[in-house]
Amino acid sequence: MRPAAFPEHLVILGGGSAGWMSAAYLDRTFNRPGDRRLRITVVESEAIGRIGVGEATIPSIRDFARFIGIDEATLMARTSATFKHGIEFEDWSAVGESCFHPFEALDTAMGMNAGPSWLARWSQGVAGSFADESGIQGRLARAGLSPKRLIDPDYSSVLPYAYHLDAEAYGDLLAEIARARGVERVVGEVVRVRQKDGDILGLDLGDGTTVDGDLFLDCSGFNALLLDKALKSPFLSYADHLLCDRAVAIRAPLDPETPIPPMTRARALSAGWMWRIGLQNREGLGYVYSSAHLKPVEAEAELRATAGLADDVPARHLTMRIGRAEKAWTGNVIALGLAGGFIEPLESTGLHMVEYGLEMLVRYFPLSGVNPEARDRFNDVVGQHYDGLRDFISAHYGLSGRRDTPFWQAATSPEHMPPRVGALLGLWADRHPSSEDISLQRTLFGHASWQHILYGIGKPGAAAAANAARWVAQPGAHLPHLEKACADITENLPSHTLWLEGLATLPVQRDGW
């Protein structure tokens, strides 16, 4: 990269969701019509397939789409999107039991932490589910309601929400937008990476094309062709804490008689868990499992049997690299998406980590050449974010009451629990979680989310319940207010099915980006 200079040419290796999200976001950030400060080129190979199974998202995708300039009707129509209130976990605590992790937090909705009240009521044997005593979103999801009305503004509602969407179509939409705004696309396969003194100089393609650049984004998926293969940057595996390293995915036709549920369903199976996601045009199913406990043919058979799928519906098998780059920004290369790291898809964090990485890249962008301190800070905050997600996901397994298969015996073993998780669970053995307990400066899953897993998949500690019963003056005093809020909002929300039918009547933008 030219010393002490804003980069003239940014080269993104890899298309798909991560590559085109990066192109669209950085173009929107640095370029304006008639004032293009940053030339952006995406290099992608049509011979390399896209992963494209990350179909569940979290609410941050709405801010991303709004920033890019996509209206909500276009986003949902072009990606066959449906709404998501949260995740229903089935058979995690024990076979036959379920819990719900919503996007809402009662702390912000009513200004209170519902944990002490629920613990006190649990000690008395009168508590309902934690989700139903700390909010209303689980009930809306189970009732099949949309999170918003058709007349509500784009990306707005009284409740946070996300989408289920076709990840490949999402990448295609962003590619269309980015190219219409001036981003270049080069098709070809990289046969040589030219480098000097720890920096990438350019890419040589199989057809003789050369693409030189000042700054490179590695969005080449699990292969990490630039960061890993070329620069040999170390990778930190999470295999000691997260055992699931394989997935088998199936795209199945929808049952026309069954409404599409506005939530992700995650069902624990013998060696991992199964996702079930309804889009407008199909259903996505998959089994995330441990290859140490199940063979691919066995995983596919269990998935088909559990979901009731015939053998003629094709399946796709995936190997996942679970962990993160030690330094996602090395030299003049920044790895985003699967190239930079991946936490298994349990809480739908894949696209979010691309969004977060881009936000931090803009914050620490080489405005006058690569600033080593800014690069180090980027690596610190992105690494901490990944580690925080690892801790939260690992707790889903560690808190489970399942011991009925070799996988669940291993996954619930304390030896696989990250030290920070063990410390948090020890802290919460005699008290409820609070915001001060999370040490990370910025975390995706705060104490409210931890409570849903701690009191949903797991069980509260006897000391915590006893202390809450001793100190909470009026357990459940907020419940009448919660019931009224639920009744008021339910009265005004259409069904998920009705909202999707109304979506078809809204205009969709097809050009003029």
Side-chain angles (χ1 to χ4, degrees):
M1 181 177 182
R2 298 171 299 120
F6 186 87
E8 291 182 356
H9 191 195
L10 170 71
V11 178
I12 302 172
L13 177 58
S17 299
W20 288 110
M21 286 173 69
S22 300
Y25 186 88
L26 296 175
D27 177 75
R28 189 72 165 178
T29 300
F30 292 110
N31 296 325
R32 297 291 183 271
D35 183 23
R36 298 190 61 80
R37 298 189 61 198
L38 182 64
R39 178 187 171 197
I40 302 174
T41 299
V42 176
V43 178
E44 61 178 338
S45 170
E46 293 182 338
I48 299 176
R50 294 181 285 181
I51 298 295
V53 299
E55 297 172 331
T57 65
I58 63 173
S60 60
I61 191 174
R62 294 182 293 138
D63 294 328
F64 186 89
R66 182 188 291 112
F67 177 76
I68 298 300
I70 311 172
D71 64 90
E72 191 165 27
T74 296
L75 175 68
M76 296 190 69
R78 294 285 298 274
T79 64
S80 299
T82 58
F83 285 126
K84 174 184 173 183
H85 283 285
I87 305 174
E88 183 174 43
F89 292 95
E90 303 171 356
D91 298 341
W92 280 77
S93 180
V95 175
E97 296 186 9
S98 66
C99 66
F100 192 78
H101 179 199
F103 292 128
E104 67 175 337
L106 197 60
D107 301 58
T108 55
M110 296 182 66
M112 66 165 290
N113 186 334
S117 172
W118 185 86
L119 282 170
R121 285 171 52 77
W122 187 86
S123 72
Q124 299 166 1
V126 297
S129 71
F130 181 75
D132 287 350
E133 295 203 4
S134 64
I136 63 175
Q137 200 156 26
R139 282 177 276 185
L140 300 183
R142 291 192 296 272
L145 295 178
S146 162
K148 62 185 299 181
R149 303 167 300 171
L150 278 168
I151 62 173
D152 288 334
D154 281 359
Y155 307 116
S156 298
S157 172
V158 296
L159 291 170
Y161 64 93
Y163 311 101
H164 304 122
L165 52 75
D166 184 321
E168 292 184 10
Y170 182 52
D172 291 340
L173 174 59
L174 292 169
E176 178 183 319
I177 295 170
R179 294 183 69 188
R181 292 174 176 170
V183 171
E184 303 170 59
R185 177 178 182 254
V186 175
V187 178
E189 187 171 354
V190 175
V191 295
R192 180 187 174 213
V193 178
R194 287 178 283 109
Q195 54 185 302
K196 180 181 179 181
D197 299 330
D199 282 347
I200 302 295
L201 301 178
L203 310 177
D204 295 341
L205 308 184
D207 63 358
T209 301
T210 62
V211 183
D212 296 332
D214 303 309
L215 194 66
F216 291 80
L217 296 192
D218 189 347
C219 298
S220 61
F222 287 131
N223 289 324
L225 294 177
L226 300 184
L227 190 74
D228 188 0
K229 301 297 191 297
L231 297 184
K232 310 298 182 185
S233 184
F235 181 79
L236 300 179
S237 173
Y238 290 160
D240 288 343
H241 307 299
L242 297 171
L243 305 186
C244 293
D245 59 354
R246 299 288 190 275
V248 53
I250 295 177
R251 294 178 173 181
L254 288 171
D255 178 357
E257 303 300 320
T258 303
I260 301 171
M263 59 185 170
T264 300
R265 289 170 292 177
R267 180 177 177 181
L269 298 182
S270 69
W273 62 279
M274 179 185 81
W275 78 74
R276 194 158 200 162
I277 291 170
L279 304 185
Q280 294 179 43
N281 59 345
R282 62 174 170 80
E283 188 174 36
L285 304 102
Y287 187 1
V288 178
Y289 66 95
S290 164
S291 62
H293 297 89
L294 210 60
K295 297 178 181 178
V297 65
E298 296 170 329
E300 182 176 336
E302 185 176 358
L303 173 61
R304 291 186 185 278
T306 304
L309 295 173
D311 292 339
D312 60 350
V313 183
R316 183 181 183 189
H317 290 264
L318 305 167
T319 298
M320 303 182 296
R321 186 178 71 155
I322 307 299
R324 67 171 176 89
E326 182 177 315
K327 295 181 178 180
W329 187 345
T330 299
N332 65 340
V333 172
I334 302 100
L336 295 174
L338 302 179
F342 185 64
I343 310 294
E344 63 141 287
L346 186 57
E347 286 279 356
S348 315
T349 58
L351 294 181
H352 163 77
M353 283 308 300
V354 180
E355 298 164 0
Y356 182 77
L358 288 168
E359 182 185 346
M360 292 301 101
L361 175 57
V362 169
R363 174 68 184 89
Y364 300 110
F365 200 78
L367 300 174
S368 54
V370 173
N371 179 331
E373 285 72 25
R375 180 173 55 196
D376 290 345
R377 184 59 182 157
F378 173 91
N379 286 326
D380 286 345
V381 296
V382 172
Q384 288 178 23
H385 210 61
Y386 271 114
D387 291 347
L389 297 181
R390 174 207 61 195
D391 292 348
F392 186 62
I393 298 302
S394 69
H396 291 59
Y397 294 97
L399 288 167
S400 170
R402 298 281 296 267
R403 303 291 188 276
D404 53 315
T405 68
F407 167 80
W408 286 105
Q409 293 165 12
T412 55
S413 172
E415 68 184 80
H416 293 301
M417 187 173 292
R420 210 159 46 188
V421 177
L424 285 174
L425 297 183
L427 172 65
W428 297 330
D430 65 350
R431 68 200 65 230
H432 64 275
S434 67
S435 58
E436 293 77 17
D437 301 340
I438 309 299
S439 60
L440 299 178
Q441 290 183 342
R442 178 173 172 180
T443 182
L444 177 60
F445 298 111
H447 71 284
S449 289
W450 277 91
Q451 286 184 123
H452 283 286
I453 304 307
L454 183 64
Y455 302 147
I457 292 177
K459 300 298 182 186
N467 286 334
R470 185 175 299 116
W471 293 108
V472 176
Q474 294 179 297
H478 69 290
L479 294 180
H481 302 281
L482 205 59
E483 292 299 325
K484 185 178 186 306
C486 186
D488 289 345
I489 193 170
T490 299
E491 184 179 356
N492 293 302
L493 290 177
S495 71
H496 190 216
T497 300
L498 185 61
W499 205 99
L500 295 176
E501 291 174 355
L503 175 65
T505 69
L506 299 178
V508 174
Q509 186 172 349
R510 300 191 182 277
D511 53 26
W513 299 110

